Amino acid sequence: MINNIISDRVLIEKEKKLLEKIIFFVLLVSCIYIFNIFSKMGEEKSYLESTLFFIRSFSSILSVLAFGSCLISYNRLKKDSIFIIALMYLGLSVGIVLGQFDFLSFYYKEYSLFSYVTVSTSILRIFLLIIAIIPKSKIKTLIVNNKKVSILFVALYTIIFYILEKNINFFTYFHSTDFFIMYNYFLTVVYFLCAAILFVMGIKEKEYIFVVLASSIFMLGIKAMYAVNAANAANATSFYVKLTSVSITYTIFLIIIAGSFIELYLYINRTKLLNENLSLFYNLTDNHKHSFMCICKEDGEIIYGNKKFKEHYKINSFEDIKRLKVSFAVLVNKLENKDEIIKCLNTKGVWRGIIKSPDGDMYVDCSLQVIETFDSKREYAVTYMDISKIIRKELEVEKLKVYNKERTDFMSNISHELRTPINIFYSTIQLLDISLIKSDKDFKEMYRKYRKTLHVNCKRMLRLINNVVDISKIETGILKGKFDYYNLISIVEDVTLSVVNYAQLKSINIQFDTNEEEFIAKCDPSMLERALLNLLSNAIKFTPENKNIYVNVYVNDDFAEINIKDEGIGISKDDKSAIFERFVQADKSLTRENEGSGIGLSIVKSIIDLHDGYISVESKVDEGSTFKIILPNRCDECIDYNIYDISNYNTELELSDIYEILV
């Protein structure tokens, strides 16, 4: 795992501290030996004293190296059991330095069992060994979480209880031969049992170091058996017995040291292979040209990012990482599918999907995966690709498909609309031709009979053509208005009155009301007339007989609100959102009851937009609809205004598609 997005400074610091410790240890040992050389210069010692000094010095060095080997293995593998066993070897090391082991007096007259073992410190080591093999315990967690305190405690405990047991009569019972033998039997059983458990742990977890530790502890059991045998034997104090006991101690520590080196060698080989794969993986991810890749902690801190990621977010310092952490946290809180992502990560450990930025400008194809670390913390591998351009193209294609379909529907609709008056023209002309053959009188009567039909359908065709031309102007942006100052209230009232007669033909009552009699606004009156006529035509068209239409105007200093409310068939929720779009009609079937091309409301909206206004609709099916127009007051001061006369021709033209009441 790469622990730093900027550099490997943390790793360099660890290597530097380890090197300093090694140098310090080598210098310390060298100084001790140099001191002994000069302090003992010219001093003659017996072979026995020289042997004892060698045993004590060499055992001390091996024990310290064994303790250090355990710590190195723990630092590499982070196994709690290894650290606690290292504490046990620390107790052994301190005991050897103090002379608690293997220093049976080589003088027969001074031999005592106490010189061979200190029971109180031995009990601490047994306790640590038992804690190490227990899978989970609060004591183990407490010891590992307080490493420095634990190391200091073991060292001080070993020193203090060695002094107490040596000088206080209370511990006299520990020095008896019977107790010595029974206690070493106990040690033998514990060491063998713990060695077996550690061996099984090593096999199951495939960790070679546990097998090494098991072998070393097994040798401790052998040493305890040897002590029992030596205590019972007649030649227990022979020089050979004593040196054999010392050699077992050497073997115990050498197993740890040699095993750690072998384990380190295997670890290096595994690491080399892993690094080769990691190098391949790193080159693949870091130099990936298409995807952003990063690894972050649970709190959002980025701990790795590939080159594309760092270059995009301009990461050059730790301050940049903190800035990015805050901005990512804000983004995550704004995600619409945040809860879904968290739930999927907690249950499946992986999530893949499309994430849209809050402003909708960016789309990313994102993949998230949970990574479990050695210390049981969660990290997240994030891979994503900006697919905004692809999504936009797809949306444009979909819009184009919809637009083309709407145009196709419109052309089919407009063809139907044009075919109807043309068929009527053709049929009427045929009838007139027949009447013309018979006599002038018959022709006049026939023409008089179908004259209104011809006029209405001419206007229908003209209205359709005007709408098609206007929708083309809207699409090209050339539809402009002729703005001047007019009394808006008067225009709305006159337009409403112009359609009253048409509504009465269908037994529909139209009511007009306003809260003011005058509202001077800058507008194009002909365009507003057309928009209002279209809305009123629709209201009459879709309102059953004996119902009402209400036209209300509310004005204030800032805007005017025009409401056209009917009691007609209403508009469904799905159709309501699309009725102002071009080529859209709620009823697209060619067998619909009411005529229309489906572009009238689109033109109305464009007219209102030209006036910087707003149009909306509220409707319920079978209850009616209310179209609301908001027009701003763009008259800064009271000025003279023009008078606009409503054209009956425009009214007839806009209401020409209400075929059933005009023919």
Side-chain angles (χ1 to χ4, degrees):
M1 175 60 62
I2 299 172
N3 293 317
N4 199 303
I5 194 173
I6 304 298
S7 68
D8 56 352
R9 277 183 284 181
V10 176
L11 182 60
I12 293 173
E13 287 296 324
K14 287 184 177 180
E15 291 177 350
K16 183 179 178 181
K17 289 180 180 179
L18 180 60
L19 181 61
E20 289 174 353
K21 290 177 181 178
I22 293 173
I23 293 173
F24 174 77
F25 177 76
V26 172
L27 289 175
L28 179 63
V29 174
S30 300
C31 289
I32 292 173
Y33 277 106
I34 292 171
F35 174 77
N36 276 297
I37 291 172
F38 288 100
S39 64
K40 308 296 183 180
M41 188 175 294
E43 183 180 338
E44 288 292 335
K45 285 191 176 183
S46 65
Y47 290 110
L48 181 59
E49 289 176 337
S50 300
T51 302
L52 291 176
F53 175 76
F54 170 79
I55 291 172
R56 188 163 186 170
S57 301
F58 193 63
S59 295
S60 298
I61 293 172
L62 287 179
S63 64
V64 172
L65 289 174
F67 171 66
S69 298
C70 287
L71 287 183
I72 291 172
S73 297
Y74 167 73
N75 190 55
R76 186 165 58 249
L77 300 176
K78 299 300 181 184
K79 298 288 186 179
D80 295 346
S81 298
I82 298 176
F83 177 76
I84 296 175
I85 292 175
L87 292 178
M88 186 197 75
Y89 283 109
L90 173 63
L92 282 172
S93 178
V94 175
I96 289 173
V97 173
L98 294 176
Q100 296 181 30
F101 293 93
D102 295 326
F103 301 111
L104 305 173
S105 176
F106 279 73
Y107 301 99
Y108 299 141
K109 60 181 180 181
E110 296 179 6
Y111 173 80
S112 68
L113 291 174
F114 168 73
S115 300
Y116 189 80
V117 62
T118 304
V119 177
S120 53
T121 57
S122 176
I123 291 173
L124 174 63
R125 294 192 295 272
I126 293 299
F127 173 75
L128 290 172
L129 185 57
I130 293 172
I131 292 297
I133 63 174
I134 297 175
K136 288 183 180 180
S137 68
K138 293 182 179 179
I139 298 177
K140 179 186 283 190
T141 304
L142 180 65
I143 292 172
V144 174
N145 290 341
N146 300 275
K147 297 181 182 66
K148 292 182 179 179
V149 175
S150 300
I151 291 172
L152 184 62
F153 173 80
V154 171
L156 291 176
Y157 179 95
T158 305
I159 294 170
I160 292 171
F161 275 84
Y162 167 70
I163 296 171
L164 292 176
E165 192 169 329
K166 184 176 181 181
N167 296 288
I168 298 177
N169 294 329
F170 175 76
F171 297 96
T172 305
Y173 177 72
F174 292 165
H175 305 161
S176 66
T177 303
D178 292 338
F179 178 81
F180 177 82
I181 293 172
M182 292 300 297
Y183 185 69
N184 275 278
Y185 275 131
F186 167 73
L187 291 179
T188 302
V189 174
V190 172
Y191 284 141
F192 283 169
L193 182 60
C194 292
I197 294 174
L198 284 172
F199 184 82
V200 173
M201 286 174 59
I203 298 300
K204 285 185 176 180
E205 298 184 20
K206 297 181 180 179
E207 291 292 352
Y208 176 78
I209 190 63
F210 283 120
V211 177
V212 172
L213 294 173
S215 302
S216 177
I217 292 170
F218 181 79
M219 290 305 298
L220 280 172
I222 297 294
K223 185 176 177 66
M225 289 178 61
Y226 198 89
V228 173
N229 183 64
N232 289 324
N235 61 344
T237 56
S238 69
F239 193 81
Y240 173 78
V241 171
K242 298 167 188 175
L243 287 181
T244 304
S245 178
V246 171
S247 67
I248 294 175
T249 304
Y250 289 166
T251 304
I252 291 168
F253 295 132
L254 286 172
I255 288 174
I256 296 293
I257 297 168
S260 296
F261 274 104
I262 295 172
E263 195 274 336
L264 179 60
Y265 172 76
L266 296 175
Y267 174 79
I268 291 172
N269 284 335
R270 291 195 301 267
T271 303
K272 183 179 179 181
L273 180 61
L274 180 63
N275 284 338
E276 290 176 356
N277 295 331
L278 181 61
S279 178
L280 180 63
F281 168 77
Y282 182 79
N283 288 328
L284 178 65
T285 57
D286 202 51
N287 298 315
H288 205 284
K289 303 298 182 183
H290 302 289
S291 298
F292 297 86
M293 297 182 182
C294 68
I295 298 175
C296 64
K297 296 181 180 179
E298 284 190 285
D299 60 359
E301 180 183 351
I302 307 298
I303 58 177
Y304 167 76
N306 65 353
K307 287 182 181 179
K308 185 176 178 67
F309 183 90
K310 289 186 283 188
E311 289 173 359
H312 179 78
Y313 293 104
K314 298 180 175 60
I315 298 176
N316 299 306
S317 65
F318 286 102
E319 286 69 25
D320 295 332
I321 296 176
K322 293 178 182 178
R323 167 184 54 79
L324 194 62
K325 176 181 176 181
V326 174
S327 61
F328 274 16
V330 174
L331 176 63
V332 169
N333 289 329
K334 290 183 178 180
L335 290 178
E336 296 178 356
N337 54 345
K338 174 185 174 183
D339 295 336
E340 173 196 340
I341 294 173
I342 294 175
K343 181 180 178 181
C344 193
L345 287 174
N346 290 335
T347 55
K348 300 180 180 179
V350 65
W351 179 85
R352 168 79 184 276
I354 306 297
I355 293 179
K356 181 176 70 173
S357 63
D359 55 10
D361 292 336
M362 186 175 181
Y363 296 84
V364 295
D365 182 357
C366 184
S367 175
L368 299 173
Q369 184 167 344
V370 178
I371 302 174
E372 297 291 344
T373 61
F374 286 115
D375 51 1
S376 299
K377 293 182 180 179
R378 285 164 58 124
E379 294 176 354
Y380 299 95
V382 184
T383 304
Y384 63 93
M385 181 186 298
D386 188 352
I387 57 171
S388 302
K389 292 182 180 179
I390 298 174
I391 294 295
R392 290 192 193 101
K393 287 182 179 179
E394 290 180 353
L395 291 175
E396 289 175 2
V397 170
E398 288 300 319
K399 286 181 179 179
L400 187 60
K401 288 180 180 178
V402 173
Y403 182 75
N404 288 335
K405 184 179 183 302
E406 290 175 349
R407 287 182 70 95
T408 302
D409 293 342
F410 169 73
M411 293 306 298
S412 175
N413 186 19
I414 204 73
S415 299
H416 171 75
E417 292 293 319
L418 288 171
R419 189 182 295 113
T420 301
I422 289 174
N423 287 334
I424 292 174
F425 288 154
Y426 184 68
S427 299
T428 305
I429 289 171
Q430 286 181 319
L431 291 172
L432 291 174
D433 286 342
I434 295 172
S435 299
L436 182 62
I437 295 172
K438 291 181 178 180
S439 67
D440 291 342
K441 183 178 180 182
D442 293 335
F443 177 81
K444 289 181 180 180
E445 291 178 357
M446 185 68 69
Y447 177 73
R448 190 179 295 110
K449 180 178 180 181
Y450 292 104
R451 174 175 170 272
K452 189 173 183 181
T453 301
L454 290 172
H455 279 282
V456 169
N457 283 280
C458 281
K459 290 173 182 176
R460 287 179 65 189
M461 289 190 68
L462 183 59
R463 181 175 182 270
L464 285 170
I465 293 170
N466 287 341
N467 284 344
V468 172
V469 171
D470 286 343
I471 205 70
S472 299
K473 289 181 179 179
I474 292 170
E475 286 185 339
T476 56
I478 61 174
L479 182 65
K480 306 294 182 183
K482 297 178 181 180
F483 292 91
D484 208 337
Y485 292 98
Y486 295 90
N487 182 2
L488 185 64
I489 306 296
S490 176
I491 293 174
V492 176
E493 184 177 12
D494 290 346
V495 171
T496 303
L497 292 175
S498 71
V499 302
V500 168
N501 292 333
Y502 296 90
Q504 288 176 348
L505 292 174
K506 200 176 176 181
S507 300
I508 295 174
N509 180 43
I510 295 183
Q511 298 181 20
F512 173 82
D513 192 17
T514 177
N515 65 333
E516 297 288 346
E517 295 299 325
E518 188 176 90
F519 182 80
I520 309 304
K522 192 175 183 179
C523 62
D524 183 328
S526 62
M527 281 190 169
L528 287 181
E529 178 188 16
R530 185 175 179 184
L532 293 171
L533 285 173
N534 186 284
L535 295 175
L536 288 168
S537 172
N538 286 340
I540 296 171
K541 188 190 304 182
F542 295 106
T543 299
E545 294 182 355
N546 301 314
K547 295 288 184 178
N548 299 300
I549 296 174
Y550 304 93
V551 180
N552 298 311
V553 182
Y554 307 99
V555 300
N556 57 34
D557 294 337
D558 299 320
F559 61 86
E561 179 181 324
I562 305 170
N563 290 340
I564 299 177
K565 179 181 179 182
D566 63 59
E567 297 176 348
I569 61 176
I571 305 169
S572 68
K573 186 177 180 180
D574 294 334
D575 293 331
K576 190 166 60 175
S577 60
I579 59 172
F580 293 111
E581 296 179 10
R582 295 167 196 168
F583 317 132
V584 172
Q585 190 179 44
D587 185 0
K588 298 181 177 65
S589 65
L590 298 180
T591 59
R592 57 186 178 273
E593 296 180 1
N594 298 291
E595 303 294 340
S597 60
I599 57 177
L601 288 177
S602 173
I603 295 174
V604 171
K605 185 178 185 305
S606 298
I607 290 173
I608 302 304
D609 289 342
L610 282 175
H611 288 76
D612 295 329
Y614 172 76
I615 184 171
S616 62
V617 61
E618 296 176 1
S619 182
K620 290 184 178 180
V621 176
D622 297 330
E623 293 186 16
S625 305
T626 300
F627 285 84
K628 182 185 294 185
I629 298 174
I630 304 293
L631 295 175
N633 183 2
R634 297 194 295 182
C635 182
D636 298 331
E637 55 185 14
C638 293
I639 58 174
D640 293 336
Y641 60 90
N642 300 310
I643 302 297
Y644 179 74
D645 294 326
I646 299 299
S647 170
N648 291 331
Y649 176 78
N650 290 339
T651 303
E652 292 176 1
L653 195 66
E654 286 299 325
L655 272 69
S656 61
D657 60 346
I658 309 179
Y659 185 75
E660 70 276 9
I661 67 173
L662 295 178
V663 178

